[in-house]
Amino acid sequence: VTALTSGAVFTLAIGPETLKLTTKVILQGAWNGSAMTTLLKTAAVLPATDPYGQNTTPSVSPNTTTAQVVDWVLVELRDSANPSSVIASRAGFLLSNGNVVDTNYTQPLNFTGVNNGNYKVAIRHRNHLGIMTLNDVDFSAGMATVDFAQTPPRFEVRSAYIEPAERVYELNATLNFDLPEGARAAIREGVPLT
């Protein structure tokens, strides 16, 4: 449109919200003490399509990209009041430095069609325990950063706890340090919490 006349009507289309997440996590099984290995990529056995049923296929195979791909992960935004309710999920790639990237191998990971607000962020991997933020993550500005490799970690206990010498907390090392020592000891010893 180059000019509007009196009484002209036009429609403004506004697309769905896109939330952007920059996140980092470490998989214990791939951790070699300083980074995660890319053995699956080297062996060219990474699935061409995500293994989580998201029907995500990157334009460049994870086996041939120059990015240092460790494996696929599933990242979820969960309801802050009811964390068992998944609001949105995206398959992405975990790189050897811990960064989770979109299928174009860059950050951030984009969630289209999700309203700005507070969410729990969860990351799942097919061979490791899942991890989820303890506190809500604020997406009111449309973007957020969650570093699951930080010290001290701020995420929920789901099953097991391992504290490696390097003090890097992996997906299956999920401990909330706000727990009393008795609860932490029970987790380390494998005693179920009721």
Side-chain angles (χ1 to χ4, degrees):
V1 176
T2 57
L4 294 177
T5 59
S6 178
V9 176
F10 64 96
T11 303
L12 175 63
I14 299 175
E17 296 283 338
T18 297
L19 300 185
K20 299 176 183 300
L21 175 65
T22 301
T23 190
K24 187 172 192 169
V25 72
I26 304 294
L27 292 178
Q28 183 189 17
W31 184 250
N32 67 15
S34 60
M36 287 179 287
T37 64
T38 57
L39 293 175
L40 296 176
K41 177 185 178 201
T42 302
V45 294
L46 288 168
T49 302
D50 80 87
Y52 302 105
Q54 302 286 306
N55 297 317
T56 305
T57 304
S59 60
V60 177
S61 166
N63 295 305
T64 59
T65 181
T66 58
Q68 295 301 303
V69 176
V70 173
D71 203 354
W72 289 91
V73 292
L74 184 68
V75 181
E76 299 171 333
L77 299 182
R78 293 176 173 237
D79 186 281
S80 61
N82 179 14
S84 63
S85 177
V86 177
I87 304 301
S89 58
R90 284 294 314 273
F93 292 111
L94 177 62
L95 301 184
S96 63
N97 64 2
N99 289 340
V100 176
V101 297
D102 217 325
T103 54
N104 62 2
Y105 304 101
T106 63
Q107 286 185 318
L109 192 64
N110 295 310
F111 292 86
T112 303
V114 182
N115 294 327
N116 292 2
N118 292 320
Y119 299 96
K120 304 277 190 195
V121 175
I123 300 181
R124 295 176 37 205
H125 181 263
R126 54 199 167 137
N127 297 323
H128 291 75
L129 297 175
I131 192 169
M132 182 171 63
T133 55
L134 175 64
N135 299 316
D136 294 348
V137 177
D138 182 5
F139 282 91
S140 62
M143 63 184 79
T145 299
V146 176
D147 186 352
F148 285 104
Q150 70 180 346
T151 302
R154 307 297 301 161
F155 37 87
E156 291 201 38
V157 174
R158 285 293 177 227
S159 182
Y161 168 66
I162 298 171
E163 185 174 328
E166 301 86 10
R167 299 202 49 88
V168 174
Y169 297 85
E170 298 92 353
L171 275 178
N172 61 344
T174 56
L175 180 67
N176 167 8
F177 279 94
D178 291 338
L179 288 174
E181 178 53 37
R184 290 198 301 254
I187 293 166
R188 286 192 296 267
E189 294 166 13
V191 177
L193 298 174
T194 55

